[in-house]
């Protein structure tokens, strides 16, 4: 809900558990955003002048701050999202501490200047060094489904690389996102080095349009397109982690007990509101009956509703409309709903754990991002058909393959047009910092995490150094017959003879 007070817009937050008011906040204006960016710009040289080790030491202290304040942080997350306490700890706090521990441990090694070996005929004359310069001010816009961890991870990466950061959490979970700045300031990061602005899409647009040097966005495809267009006009780099419609392939040789448990959990944890949630399940027909029976049994056992241990509400009322529409469309087109399929009675945004059977690609539930607690199952003849259907999507964020044969999982993964693939699991890939994470097709642009994550917030500057000063450069003015003869000899003997060609590589 939003209103105005004088010239200021205000947002009122309702609990997704019972719709009672829980907080209200003032929306930052375009001028507020520009002021924050200006302060970040002024603070950036001083932050970048600190050594990487010093920045890492400060940011590593944030782990202790999170541990000390974990009860307060999770209380805010649970109030704004309705997540069960287990998920507030397991989805938000544990990976945040792990990311901080990992990136602060790697920063010095990943960001130090290094010498790059040169090839061929250049090697006797030049030495190449690569050094990593911070970009300046980074703008980060983060979503409501994992508001703490999906904020702290890119913010910390950008800070370690020597940038300052202005970030905007979702208007649905502003308090959860604001905890990131509070934690980092308590750890010793100067106030102007990391700042939070509050607001909705207007505030986000103001941040994207401001004098920043990179945008890191996690959210919807529609907003991602707008950000890409704005950044293209100013030639500002960006990374976009957008929607997903992740496919799970259940092979005939899968451990069906594990596959069924995975289908239920991986489509329903965090109330299904994870960009790498299992949203489409393709099961080989020869094992489909047993698999479907197991999925229905396990989904029916998931507890949901106020005070339930397993599944909380949807975090946003708009998402309830989407899930309801997708289920209705599937039923109209002949799908069966053996478990769930409806909103839980009451004031909260709870939706029953749901299993959809006999799904097909004319249904919205198999083509559009549902982002809810729904396991949608389609029978296929064989693994080849499963691969074809998994690739029949405008999304390509992640995917999973359930089989007892690891080599088969790798072969199938090589044929899937998706950002990542997980064997006998799903969603966990974002929590593996060594793995580059990003989508293909409409699921995003660029990657976060992985061995080049910190360098993604820098400019890799090559510096070419003379080994020795020659008396005469080979092709500087004036051009002579000797210049032509030397070049022709290089082409004829250096590249025209296979042995020498290998030596020059």
């Amino acid at each position: 809900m939003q209103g105005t007070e004088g010239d200021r817009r205000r947002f009122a937050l309702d609990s997704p558990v019972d719709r009672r008011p829980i907080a209200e906040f003032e929306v930052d204006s375009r001028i507020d955003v520009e002021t924050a960016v200006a302060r970040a710009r002024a603070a950036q040289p001083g932050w970048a002048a600190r050594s990487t080790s010093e920045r890492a030491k400060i940011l590593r202290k944030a782990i202790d701050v999170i541990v000390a304040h974990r009860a307060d942080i999770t209380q805010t997350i649970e109030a704004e999202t309705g997540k069960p306490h287990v998920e507030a700890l397991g989805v938000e706090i544990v990976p945040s501490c792990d990311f901080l521990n990992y990136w602060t441990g790697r920063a010095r090694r990943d960001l130090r200047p290094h010498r790059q070996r040169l090839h061929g005929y250049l090697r006797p004359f030049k030495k190449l060094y690569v050094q990593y310069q911070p970009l300046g001010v980074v703008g980060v816009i983060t979503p409501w489904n994992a508001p703490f961890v999906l904020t702290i991870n890119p913010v910390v990466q950008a800070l370690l690389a020597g940038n300052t950061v202005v970030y905007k959490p979702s208007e649905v979970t502003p308090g959860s996102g604001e905890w990131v700045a509070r934690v980092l300031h308590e750890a010793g990061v100067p106030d102007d080095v990391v700042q939070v602005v509050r607001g909705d899409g207007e505030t986000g647009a103001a941040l994207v349009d401001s004098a920043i040097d990179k945008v890191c966005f996690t959210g919807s495809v529609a907003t991602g397109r707008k950000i890409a267009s704005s950044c293209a006009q100013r030639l500002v780099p960006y990374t976009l982690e957008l929607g997903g419609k992740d496919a799970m392939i259940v092979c005939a040789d899968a451990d069906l007990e594990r596959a069924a448990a995975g289908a239920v959990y991986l489509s329903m944890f965090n109330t299904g509101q994870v960009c790498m949630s299992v949203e489409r399940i393709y099961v080989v027909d020869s094992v489909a009956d047993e698999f479907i029976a197991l999925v229905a049994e396990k989904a029916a056992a998931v507890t949901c509703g106020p005070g339930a241990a397993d599944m909380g509400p949807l975090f946003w009322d708009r998402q309830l409309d989407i899930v309801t529409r997708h289920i209705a469309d599937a039923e109209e087109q002949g799908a069966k709903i053996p478990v769930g399929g409806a909103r839980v009675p009451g004031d909260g945004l709870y939706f029953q754990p749901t299993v959809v059977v006999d799904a097909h690609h004319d249904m919205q539930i198999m083509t559009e991002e549902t982002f809810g607690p729904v396991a949608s199952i389609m029978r296929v003849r064989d693994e080849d058909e499963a691969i074809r259907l998994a690739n029949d999507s405008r999304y390509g964020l992640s995917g999973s393959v359930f089989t007892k044969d690891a080599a088969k999982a790798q072969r199938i993964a090589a044929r899937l047009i998706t950002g990542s693939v997980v064997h006998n699991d799903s969603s966990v890939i974002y929590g593996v910092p060594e793995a580059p994470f990003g989508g293909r097709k409409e699921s995003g642009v660029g990657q976060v995490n992985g061995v080049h994550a910190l360098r993604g917030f820098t400019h890799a500057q090559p510096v070419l150094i003379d080994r020795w000063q020659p008396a005469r450069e080979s092709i500087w003015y004036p051009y002579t017959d000797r210049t032509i003869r030397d070049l022709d000899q290089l082409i004829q003997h250096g590249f025209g003879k296979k042995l020498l060609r290998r030596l020059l590589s």
Side-chain angles (χ1 to χ4, degrees):
M1 297 172 58
Q2 63 173 300
T4 59
E5 183 176 294
D7 295 330
R8 289 281 189 174
R9 290 192 299 136
R10 297 187 66 82
F11 262 86
L13 301 179
D14 295 333
S15 166
V17 171
D18 54 20
R19 310 305 287 152
R20 288 185 297 183
I22 56 172
E24 189 173 294
F25 70 93
E26 192 172 85
V27 175
D28 286 317
S29 68
R30 183 171 291 271
I31 292 176
D32 294 327
V33 172
E34 291 172 352
T35 300
V37 171
R39 291 201 305 268
R41 177 73 62 197
Q44 194 272 329
W47 178 248
R50 301 178 188 233
S51 69
T52 304
S53 296
E54 184 181 356
R55 295 195 296 266
K57 183 178 180 181
I58 293 170
L59 289 164
R60 194 175 297 117
K61 294 176 184 175
I63 301 173
D64 295 325
V65 179
I66 293 173
V67 171
H69 290 294
R70 65 189 183 280
D72 295 327
I73 298 170
T74 56
Q75 184 178 30
T76 303
I77 293 168
E78 290 164 33
E80 292 184 335
T81 67
K83 291 186 187 191
H85 190 57
V86 169
E87 291 182 351
L89 291 172
V91 174
E92 304 276 5
I93 302 300
V94 171
S96 294
C97 292
D98 189 49
F99 282 137
L100 275 162
N101 193 48
Y102 182 81
W103 297 125
T104 55
R106 285 198 64 92
R108 185 171 176 272
R109 173 174 43 184
D110 287 353
L111 295 172
R112 66 186 174 198
H114 62 90
R115 183 172 170 181
Q116 186 74 39
R117 184 176 183 271
L118 289 172
H119 77 288
Y121 72 93
L122 286 174
R123 196 179 304 145
F125 306 104
K126 305 287 185 181
K127 293 183 290 187
L128 176 62
Y129 294 89
V130 180
Q131 52 197 26
Y132 298 95
Q133 299 177 324
L135 297 175
V137 181
V138 175
V140 178
I141 301 175
T142 57
W144 45 263
N145 59 318
F148 188 75
V149 67
L150 293 183
T151 299
I152 203 165
N153 191 34
V155 167
V156 165
Q157 291 179 22
L159 292 174
L160 283 168
N163 304 283
T164 50
V165 175
V166 179
Y167 74 92
K168 188 198 84 68
S170 168
E171 66 271 28
V172 180
T173 52
S176 303
E178 188 175 5
W179 262 110
V180 170
R182 293 169 67 180
V183 164
L184 295 177
H185 291 155
E186 186 171 332
V189 178
D191 287 353
D192 288 350
V193 168
V194 59
Q195 299 171 71
V196 57
V197 292
R198 286 179 157 194
D200 57 1
E202 288 186 25
T203 312
L207 180 57
V208 171
D209 293 339
S210 68
I212 56 178
D213 301 293
K214 181 173 181 174
V215 176
C216 186
F217 170 75
T218 304
S220 71
V221 175
T223 302
R225 291 186 191 279
K226 294 176 182 178
I227 290 172
S229 178
S230 176
C231 289
Q233 293 296 318
R234 297 180 294 123
L235 300 179
V236 171
Y238 56 87
T239 57
L240 306 175
E241 197 272 275
L242 308 178
K245 193 70 183 174
D246 287 5
M248 170 179 170
I249 295 175
V250 183
C251 300
D253 68 340
D255 177 339
L256 294 184
E257 184 70 29
R258 177 175 177 82
V264 172
Y265 180 75
L266 298 166
S267 63
M268 298 182 188
F269 87 98
N270 213 51
T271 324
Q273 297 167 126
V274 179
C275 55
M276 305 90 68
S277 283
V278 168
E279 294 230 352
R280 300 176 287 150
I281 302 169
Y282 302 102
V283 56
V284 172
D285 190 61
S286 62
V287 297
D289 288 342
E290 184 180 355
F291 173 76
I292 290 169
L294 286 168
V295 170
E297 176 188 338
K298 294 178 186 300
V302 176
T303 60
C304 175
D310 295 332
M311 203 171 77
L314 293 161
F315 305 167
W316 201 9
D317 53 3
R318 296 184 191 179
Q319 208 56 44
L320 181 62
D321 296 337
I322 293 171
V323 177
T324 302
R325 172 168 55 83
H326 285 189
I327 294 295
D329 174 73
E331 286 190 288
E332 288 172 8
Q333 298 196 60
K336 297 181 180 65
I337 316 290
V339 179
R343 180 176 181 173
V344 175
D347 295 329
L349 301 179
Y350 292 91
F351 198 92
Q352 296 171 338
T354 299
V355 178
V356 177
V357 181
D358 295 339
H360 56 74
H361 276 219
D362 290 331
M363 298 175 181
Q364 295 170 359
I365 208 157
M366 295 296 280
T367 56
E368 298 180 12
E369 188 173 33
T370 304
F371 227 55
V374 183
S376 301
I377 304 172
M378 181 174 179
R379 297 170 182 261
V380 293
R381 288 187 308 275
D382 52 27
E383 291 148 10
D384 287 336
E385 185 179 24
I387 293 166
R388 179 180 65 78
L389 290 168
N391 287 334
D392 180 24
S393 174
R394 60 194 178 99
Y395 296 103
L397 187 57
S398 190
S400 56
V401 181
F402 280 72
T403 172
K404 294 175 183 175
D405 185 344
K408 179 195 286 187
Q410 287 187 292
R411 290 195 300 271
I412 291 174
R415 297 172 62 189
L416 293 175
I417 307 171
T418 186
S420 56
V421 178
V422 182
H423 178 215
N424 291 340
D425 202 342
S426 181
S427 304
V428 69
I429 192 70
Y430 183 84
V432 180
E434 295 89 344
F437 180 82
R440 301 184 66 181
K441 297 186 274 190
E442 291 189 14
S443 286
V445 176
Q447 292 177 311
V448 298
N449 296 345
V451 294
H452 299 296
L454 301 182
R455 294 175 182 177
F457 289 97
T458 70
H459 171 73
Q461 184 191 56
V463 179
L464 201 59
I465 302 295
D466 269 342
R467 278 182 175 275
W468 49 275
Q469 190 70 52
R472 174 183 174 275
E473 288 290 342
S474 59
I475 58 170
W476 284 16
Y477 294 137
Y479 295 153
T480 65
D481 290 341
R482 179 183 172 182
T483 306
I484 296 172
R485 186 171 61 252
D486 288 348
L487 291 172
D488 190 64
Q489 291 290 311
L490 173 62
I491 296 168
Q492 180 181 354
H493 299 293
F495 296 104
K497 298 183 184 299
K498 292 182 179 179
L499 178 60
L500 289 176
R501 195 185 308 166
R502 284 197 295 270
L503 293 174
L504 291 175
S505 63

